[in-house]
Amino acid sequence: IISVLSVNQILLLLLVLTVCAILYNKVHQVSSALKNEAVDLETPEEMEEEIPVVICAAAGRMGAAIAAISSIYSNTEANVLFYIVGLKTTIPHFRKWIENSKLKEIKFKVVEFNPMVLKGKIRQDASRPELLQPLNFVRFYLPLLIQKHEKVIYLDDDIIVQGDIQELFDTKLAPGHAAAFSDDCDLPSTHEMVRSVGMQVRGHFGIPIGHECIYPQIPSTCSFNPGVIVANMTEWKHQRITKQLEKWMLRNVEENLYSSTLGGGVATSPMLIVFHRKYSTINPMWHIRHLGWSPDTRYSEHFLQEAKLLHWNGRYKPWDYPSVHTELWETWFIPDPSGKFKLTRPDS
C-alpha cells in the first residue's frame, strides 16, 4: 500500500510540475510579445533625431519669429524642437500667440535671456540702435542656453524657410569647425543684388582694413552672414568661442574697433573676427539674403522659388513698408490674436 501511494504521489507531483511549466511558458511568451510590441511602438520615436532650432522673439518683431516658425513647421516632417529666446517682458505675449494659433502643435521651449550678461560689453552707437538690442547677441551664448544638443541651428527672425529644415541640419561641419555659415561670395545672383545696392561682396564689413592685428588679408576675404548658423556645441565649448566673442566686444568698447554703420553691426563683426577662415559653409540656396537692403531691388521670381531660405537682412523688413517680396513672407505670417502686432502696409 505504501509503495502504491508513493508512486501515485510522484505521478501527481510530476503532473503538477508539467502544468506549471506549461503555464509559465504561456505567460512568458505573452509577456515577451507585449514587451516586443512596446519596443516596436517606442523605437521610432526614440530613434527619431531631434532638430533644435533657436529663434529670438524680440519686442516689436514677434510677428517675424511667428512667420519663421510657421514656415519651418509647415515644410518639414522632421522632429523639430523650437527654442524661443526672449526677454522676461515679451515671453508671455509670445507664448499666448503660439497657444492660440495653429502653432499650438509645435514642440517648443521658452528660454529667458538675461541682458545682464552683456553689461559693459556693448559700445553704444546711435546710427542703428536696433542692432544693439540684447537679443542680437543670443547667438554668442548658444551653449549656455541650449544644454543637451550636440548640433544646433540658429536663425534670425527675419527669415522664412521654404525647404525641409532637415536638409540644413544635415550640413556637414569639417573637423575642428564650431559653425557653418553662408559666404557672401557664393551665388552669382547674390553678387548682382549686392552690386545693385552698392554693397561689398568682399571686404571688411565693419572691420578697419588698416587694423592688421585684427584681420589681416581683409581685401581678399569673403565675409559671411551669421543670421543662419549650424553650430557644433562640443567644438564651440572646446574652443571657448563665447569667451573669444566677448573679448572682441570688450576691445571694441575700449578701442572702437568696428562700427554698426557697416556690415551687420556690432553683433556681426566679432563673429567675422573669431571665425575668420575657421568655418564650414552652408549650401548657398539655404541662405538667400539681402532682401531687406533696398525697397527697389528684387530677385527673379524663379530664383526665389528655388531658394530654400529667404533672409530680409537690412533695414526694409517684410512686415514694414516699404519692402520687397512681402507676399512670400505673408504666406507664413499668422495674425496676432491680441491685435498688438500689426503689419504696416500702404493701405493700413
Side-chain angles (χ1 to χ4, degrees):
I1 295 174
I2 294 173
S3 177
V4 171
L5 287 176
S6 298
V7 170
N8 288 339
Q9 288 174 342
I10 292 171
L11 291 173
L12 180 62
L13 178 61
L14 290 173
L15 179 62
V16 170
L17 290 174
T18 301
V19 171
C20 289
I22 292 171
L23 290 175
Y24 174 82
N25 286 334
K26 289 289 185 183
V27 171
H28 182 69
Q29 288 173 4
V30 171
S31 177
S32 297
L34 290 174
K35 184 178 179 181
N36 290 335
E37 183 178 356
V39 169
D40 289 340
L41 290 172
E42 293 173 3
T43 299
E45 183 177 353
E46 290 176 352
M47 293 182 66
E48 187 177 9
E49 190 173 30
E50 197 169 62
I51 299 178
V53 177
V54 180
I55 296 181
C56 295
R61 298 171 61 114
M62 283 189 277
I66 286 289
I69 292 170
S70 173
S71 69
I72 296 166
Y73 178 66
S74 301
N75 287 306
T76 188
E77 295 295 326
N79 181 23
V80 180
L81 173 59
F82 293 97
Y83 283 87
I84 299 164
V85 185
L87 302 180
K88 187 175 183 179
T89 53
T90 62
I91 287 174
H93 181 191
F94 198 83
R95 185 187 291 276
K96 287 182 180 178
W97 198 334
I98 290 178
E99 293 174 349
N100 290 281
S101 73
K102 67 179 183 180
L103 294 180
K104 62 186 177 184
E105 302 297 330
I106 69 170
K107 291 172 59 179
F108 73 98
K109 292 183 179 180
V110 174
V111 180
E112 182 182 333
F113 184 69
N114 185 354
M116 289 304 295
V117 300
L118 302 172
K119 186 176 181 181
K121 300 184 180 75
I122 302 176
R123 185 182 185 86
Q124 297 303 310
D125 192 323
S127 59
R128 292 194 66 185
E130 73 275 12
L131 297 178
L132 303 177
Q133 296 301 313
L135 294 182
N136 281 337
F137 300 90
V138 162
R139 71 198 89 186
F140 289 17
Y141 297 95
L142 291 177
L144 302 181
L145 299 170
I146 314 301
Q147 300 291 336
K148 67 173 185 175
H149 301 283
E150 168 73 10
K151 198 175 187 181
V152 172
I153 294 174
Y154 167 88
L155 300 174
D156 276 356
D157 58 4
D158 51 356
I159 63 98
I160 62 165
V161 172
Q162 300 185 136
D164 186 342
I165 198 71
Q166 180 75 56
E167 294 179 26
L168 181 61
F169 188 72
D170 290 340
T171 298
K172 301 297 183 183
L173 275 68
H177 285 176
F181 307 97
S182 292
D183 274 332
D184 275 319
C185 301
D186 49 16
L187 280 175
S189 296
T190 300
H191 299 175
E192 294 171 11
M193 169 71 82
V194 165
R195 282 195 293 269
S196 69
V197 295
M199 294 171 56
Q200 309 176 63
V201 176
R202 295 176 180 267
H204 56 83
F205 269 72
I207 304 171
I209 289 179
H211 217 304
E212 295 182 1
C213 67
I214 298 178
Y215 211 162
Q217 310 301 321
I218 289 297
S220 62
T221 301
C222 290
S223 65
F224 59 81
N225 184 299
V228 176
I229 307 172
V230 180
N232 180 310
M233 293 292 92
T234 299
E235 280 296 333
W236 193 292
K237 288 182 281 192
H238 175 70
Q239 298 179 33
R240 299 171 61 86
I241 297 294
T242 297
K243 289 295 183 184
Q244 292 188 57
L245 293 166
E246 288 184 327
K247 181 191 77 172
W248 288 107
M249 292 170 73
L250 289 169
R251 283 198 59 178
N252 186 55
V253 170
E254 297 168 358
E255 304 174 40
N256 193 21
L257 298 176
Y258 44 82
S259 168
S260 65
T261 60
L262 296 174
V266 294
T268 296
S269 296
M271 299 200 80
L272 292 175
I273 298 169
V274 171
F275 286 102
H276 178 46
R277 295 178 177 172
K278 296 178 183 177
Y279 64 92
S280 298
T281 55
I282 291 170
N283 180 332
M285 296 304 288
W286 267 101
H287 195 178
I288 304 305
R289 48 212 177 276
H290 310 315
L291 276 74
W293 279 97
S294 168
D296 303 314
T297 306
R298 302 174 68 91
Y299 283 110
S300 73
E301 294 302 323
H302 174 72
F303 179 70
L304 292 179
Q305 288 173 6
E306 296 296 318
K308 304 290 188 178
L309 182 148
L310 303 177
H311 188 185
W312 279 262
N313 57 310
R315 296 175 184 268
Y316 302 97
K317 304 301 185 184
W319 56 90
D320 282 336
Y321 180 83
S323 58
V324 298
H325 303 298
T326 54
E327 70 284 353
L328 294 174
W329 183 86
E330 282 193 46
T331 298
W332 308 108
F333 175 68
I334 300 171
D336 182 0
S338 73
K340 294 178 182 178
F341 183 93
K342 297 179 180 179
L343 304 182
T344 303
R345 295 294 179 257
D347 55 351
S348 63

